[in-house]
């Protein structure tokens, strides 16, 4: 039993080390985070589960006024626990997003921080895909958050302050992989929009952080069996990364190796494509 326990402990330790190396780092103290968000309004999309829920709890504990949005009202209420404001809305519905922005501005004014966290993941071969898969993924990962920021930014710019956080993915930095066409394309689209919008908003005092997350162990990643043993972070660990983005406002947070992969892809895509070329099983 001692040997087995020791082996298990070693495996857990190696897994955590691998996750720390493969994922972006957090690293702000409680007081630093409190100083950045106490008394300020933070809007978080996709706040009912996973990273969004963990971030909402963390910011509420630090004294922020947390505005939470997701599709499921009951799940939002459970996360809020009376400490947050719930705004059920489906980001894939443009009218619902417009109503969400109008309510937030009317009831709280322009947010101090907007965390674009909601996302839809899909891993599917082209042979098994339908056009609807791409429409839905693009609506949640790109068009919905674009509409929300277009509606909120004028008031934030008029006030002359604010911070935007995009919870992106290392899938934007690494070359495209088989079965991830819908997901990588939609996240890349919002990444480019966000970085372009940040350049314009900066003139009016708005800062922006693009956070390129590695694997986060949530219900979104759970259906992909191949990710079960991959190094990653818990939702609480990933929330610590967002705490760093919110408190220190860097333009970019990403794992060290993803930057190298991005550089390598810019130089030549042939080695990657040869390595990951996918062939269906016969």
């Amino acid at each position: 039993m001692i040997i087995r326990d020791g082996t298990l402990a070693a495996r857990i330790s190696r897994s955590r080390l691998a996750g720390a190396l493969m994922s972006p780092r957090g690293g702000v103290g409680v007081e630093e985070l409190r100083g950045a968000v106490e008394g300020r309004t933070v809007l978080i999309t996709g706040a009912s589960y996973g990273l969004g829920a963990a971030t909402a709890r963390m910011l509420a504990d630090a004294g922020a006024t947390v505005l939470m949005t997701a599709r499921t009202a009951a799940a939002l209420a459970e996360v809020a626990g009376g400490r947050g404001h719930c705004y059920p809305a489906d980001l894939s519905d443009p009218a619902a997003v417009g109503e969400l922005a109008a309510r937030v501005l009317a009831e709280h004014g322009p947010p101090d921080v907007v965390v674009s966290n909601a996302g839809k993941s899909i891993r599917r071969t082209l042979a098994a895909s339908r056009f609807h898969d791409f429409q839905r993924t693009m609506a949640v990962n790109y068009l919905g958050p674009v509409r929300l920021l277009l509606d909120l930014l004028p008031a934030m710019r008029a006030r002359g302050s604010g911070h935007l956080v995009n919870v992106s993915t290392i899938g934007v930095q690494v070359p495209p992989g088989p079965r991830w066409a819908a997901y990588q394309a939609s996240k890349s689209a919002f990444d480019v929009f966000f970085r372009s919008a940040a350049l314009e908003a900066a003139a009016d005092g708005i800062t922006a952080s693009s956070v390129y997350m590695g694997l986060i162990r949530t219900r979104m990643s759970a259906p992909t069996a191949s990710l079960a043993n991959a190094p990653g972070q818990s939702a609480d660990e990933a929330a610590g990364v967002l705490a760093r983005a919110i408190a220190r406002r860097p333009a970019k947070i990403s794992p060290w190796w993803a930057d190298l992969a991005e550089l390598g892809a810019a130089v030549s895509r042939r080695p990657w494509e040869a390595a990951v070329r996918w062939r269906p099983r016969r």
Side-chain angles (χ1 to χ4, degrees):
M1 178 66 74
I2 294 175
I3 294 176
R4 289 177 181 174
D5 285 348
T7 301
L8 177 59
R11 287 178 179 173
I12 293 173
S13 178
R14 287 195 297 270
S15 175
R16 288 176 176 171
L17 176 61
L21 292 174
M22 298 297 286
S23 302
R25 295 181 295 111
V28 298
V30 173
E31 292 306 315
E32 182 178 356
L33 181 61
R34 180 172 294 277
V37 303
E38 188 171 26
R40 293 179 173 84
T41 304
V42 183
L43 172 63
I44 307 171
T45 67
S48 55
Y49 297 100
L51 175 56
T55 303
R57 295 188 185 103
M58 173 189 69
L59 295 177
D61 288 342
T65 298
V66 182
L67 314 182
M68 305 163 52
T69 184
R71 288 180 298 168
T72 310
L76 282 176
E78 183 177 349
V79 173
R83 298 184 302 162
H85 301 264
C86 302
Y87 291 89
D90 184 349
L91 284 187
S92 67
D93 180 349
V97 177
E99 293 173 5
L100 165 65
R103 284 189 61 196
V104 166
L105 292 174
E107 296 173 13
H108 300 279
D112 295 294
V113 182
V114 179
V115 181
S116 296
N117 167 71
K120 178 178 177 60
S121 178
I122 183 170
R123 180 178 181 268
R124 188 167 296 166
T125 65
L126 292 180
S129 297
R130 299 293 180 266
F131 185 59
H132 172 75
D133 297 328
F134 291 84
Q135 287 180 305
R136 176 70 179 176
T137 307
M138 190 64 76
V140 175
N141 294 349
Y142 175 54
L143 295 175
V146 166
R147 171 67 192 267
L148 182 60
L149 288 184
L150 288 178
D151 285 356
L152 294 177
L153 271 172
M156 296 175 71
R157 296 175 77 176
R159 182 186 57 197
S161 65
H163 185 55
L164 310 176
V165 179
N166 175 25
V167 181
S168 191
T169 168
I170 56 172
V172 168
Q173 295 183 279
V174 302
R179 300 192 179 195
W180 293 105
Y183 180 70
Q184 282 186 285
S186 62
K187 296 296 282 188
S188 295
F190 187 65
D191 178 67
V192 172
F193 163 84
F194 185 86
R195 289 159 57 196
S196 176
L199 296 175
E200 296 187 38
D204 294 310
I206 310 296
T207 53
S209 297
S210 296
V211 184
Y212 299 94
M213 291 290 190
L215 173 64
I216 305 173
R217 301 197 181 284
T218 65
R219 70 173 198 161
M220 189 168 83
S221 64
T224 306
S226 62
L227 299 178
N229 296 316
Q233 293 177 305
S234 69
D236 287 336
E237 289 170 331
V241 179
L242 294 190
R244 176 181 159 206
I246 293 169
R248 299 182 181 174
R249 303 190 175 196
K252 176 184 179 181
I253 298 177
S254 68
W256 63 271
W257 64 269
D259 292 336
L260 296 178
E262 188 174 27
L263 178 61
V267 175
S268 175
R269 68 186 192 185
R270 290 183 180 179
W272 170 266
E273 291 178 349
V276 302
R277 193 175 302 279
W278 183 79
R279 294 180 178 84
R281 295 180 179 177
R282 298 186 182 279

